[in-house]
Amino acid sequence: MRHQAERTNHNSFIADVDVRDYGDVLPKNEDSSTKTAVKDVGPNGELEHLSVLNYSRLLSSRVSEVVREGRVCVTLGGDHSTAIGTIHGHGNADPSQQVVVLWVDAHADLNTGVSSPTGNMHGMSVAHHLTHLAHSIATLPDGFPQPSLSASHVAYIGLRDVDREEREFLDQLGIVNYGMREVDQLGAAEVVARCLDHLDPGKGRALHVSFDIDVLDPTEAPSTGTPVRGGLSLREGLLVAEAVQEGGYLRAMDMVEVNPSLGSDQDVANTATAAKLVLLAALVGRNS
């Protein structure tokens, strides 16, 4: 978890940005010995159900801590199930603020356990936050995570790999979403402007950006788990991030699915650099 990011100039860091590293949510040396031996499958086939939600609770608490200190909370995640905890924690930090979410991703992550073809919870993150789908989500016994977003509080950019039932949810709930076809037709600047206009971040509406690196084309960011060809160029991804920064309402951001165990050394370097540049553009601005 990070707050903001260092400003860069030709790959060197300038120490003029207030950065505080809040550390890892779980110790780096935590291994499978800490996990339950019981098969961890939710009531509707959600894989690693208890593990994901118990971790999400820990992450939620840490995100709330950062936001309450008045900092922009940047979470460097693994897969996109991270957003279950980050968005929950952001909302809990100040209940008077309605969190609105810009979801930048090749995937909608809008499945439930019943609709998911895989059972992977990183494909269910948004569904866990929508009040409209609360009846379809398997929570922990105490109700965690309690959904707090209506369909109007979410907007998507970059979709191009959406399951049939996810598309039905998008259409039925009227969730604003722009796939790559719309990005090509309208341009990335117009798309992000429309999304931010719809979300209307500002006083009483805290902006959360959840950025999956696989929204970028695999030529830009190959070291990720579920790459889909035909994505945003790095320049388009930076344009989205710059528009967020210019608005001045960003309060939390996730950067997920950067996987250095995948691909060549050059693939990893390209992916990590792309992620760093997007973060800098969102947090520092176009001259970073």
Side-chain angles (χ1 to χ4, degrees), residues 128-149:
H128 275 76
H129 294 293
L130 291 178
T131 56
H132 300 77
L133 295 178
H135 62 283
S136 301
I137 295 300
T139 63
L140 291 177
D142 64 357
F144 178 90
Q146 185 66 37
S148 62
L149 304 180

Side-chain angles (χ1 to χ4, degrees), residues 264-287:
S264 66
D265 289 346
Q266 189 60 57
D267 289 341
V268 172
N270 289 346
T271 306
T273 297
K276 180 180 74 173
L277 291 173
V278 169
L279 286 171
L280 288 168
L283 299 164
V284 181
R286 69 178 63 188
N287 296 318

Side-chain angles (χ1 to χ4, degrees), residues 155-171:
Y156 287 94
I157 294 176
L159 297 180
R160 59 188 184 279
D161 185 14
V162 180
D163 295 330
R164 179 181 58 82
E165 292 195 52
E166 289 182 304
R167 174 53 60 187
E168 291 177 358
F169 288 145
L170 289 169
D171 293 343

Side-chain angles (χ1 to χ4, degrees), residues 171-188:
D171 293 343
Q172 291 168 6
L173 299 176
I175 298 175
V176 167
N177 65 97
Y178 291 90
M180 288 307 303
R181 180 178 179 179
E182 289 79 19
V183 173
D184 291 341
Q185 291 175 335
L186 299 171

Side-chain angles (χ1 to χ4, degrees), residues 1-79:
M1 185 183 300
R2 304 291 187 267
H3 162 58
Q4 296 192 357
E6 294 86 347
R7 192 186 297 266
T8 61
N9 181 13
H10 302 296
N11 295 321
S12 64
F13 289 94
I14 300 174
D16 63 350
V17 178
D18 178 24
V19 179
R20 177 177 175 184
D21 184 350
Y22 284 76
D24 298 321
V25 175
L26 292 178
K28 291 182 179 181
N29 61 356
E30 179 150 330
D31 56 30
S32 58
S33 64
T34 65
K35 296 182 179 180
T36 177
V38 178
K39 189 175 182 181
D40 187 3
V41 179
N44 298 313
E46 302 90 342
L47 302 179
E48 304 293 336
H49 181 248
L50 294 177
S51 297
V52 169
L53 292 188
N54 281 320
Y55 170 80
S56 296
R57 189 199 299 276
L58 294 174
L59 178 56
S60 172
S61 176
R62 298 289 293 278
V63 170
S64 291
E65 174 190 354
V66 178
V67 174
R68 284 174 183 143
E69 290 186 7
R71 292 177 174 268
V72 176
C73 181
V74 177
T75 303
L76 306 180
D79 69 41

Side-chain angles (χ1 to χ4, degrees), residues 67-285:
V67 174
R68 284 174 183 143
E69 290 186 7
R71 292 177 174 268
V72 176
C73 181
V74 177
T75 303
L76 306 180
D79 69 41
H80 219 158
S81 64
T82 299
I84 297 174
T86 60
I87 295 173
H88 183 273
H90 188 179
N92 268 9
D94 183 358
S96 70
Q97 293 274 317
Q98 173 60 60
V99 170
V100 292
V101 179
L102 182 62
W103 195 271
V104 190
D105 196 341
H107 308 91
D109 295 345
L110 194 51
N111 274 303
T112 65
V114 173
S115 70
S116 173
T118 65
N120 292 323
M121 290 190 67
H122 62 78
M124 307 178 194
S125 306
V126 177
H128 275 76
H129 294 293
L130 291 178
T131 56
H132 300 77
L133 295 178
H135 62 283
S136 301
I137 295 300
T139 63
L140 291 177
D142 64 357
F144 178 90
Q146 185 66 37
S148 62
L149 304 180
S150 76
S152 65
H153 295 145
V154 181
Y156 287 94
I157 294 176
L159 297 180
R160 59 188 184 279
D161 185 14
V162 180
D163 295 330
R164 179 181 58 82
E165 292 195 52
E166 289 182 304
R167 174 53 60 187
E168 291 177 358
F169 288 145
L170 289 169
D171 293 343
Q172 291 168 6
L173 299 176
I175 298 175
V176 167
N177 65 97
Y178 291 90
M180 288 307 303
R181 180 178 179 179
E182 289 79 19
V183 173
D184 291 341
Q185 291 175 335
L186 299 171
E190 178 64 17
V191 165
V192 69
R194 290 187 182 191
C195 286
L196 292 174
D197 183 63
H198 168 75
L199 294 173
D200 192 25
K203 186 176 181 181
R205 296 175 70 88
L207 180 61
H208 189 116
V209 175
S210 203
F211 195 105
D212 189 321
I213 200 67
D214 71 25
V215 76
L216 302 181
D217 191 83
T219 57
E220 306 275 18
S223 294
T224 190
T226 50
V228 186
R229 294 179 68 182
L232 297 179
S233 68
L234 178 56
R235 180 59 238 152
E236 289 171 325
L238 293 175
L239 190 152
V240 171
E242 288 164 357
V244 165
Q245 191 276 334
E246 288 171 0
Y249 300 120
L250 182 66
R251 295 294 174 265
M253 183 169 181
D254 313 322
M255 174 60 70
V256 302
E257 300 285 358
V258 176
N259 191 337
S261 69
L262 299 176
S264 66
D265 289 346
Q266 189 60 57
D267 289 341
V268 172
N270 289 346
T271 306
T273 297
K276 180 180 74 173
L277 291 173
V278 169
L279 286 171
L280 288 168
L283 299 164
V284 181

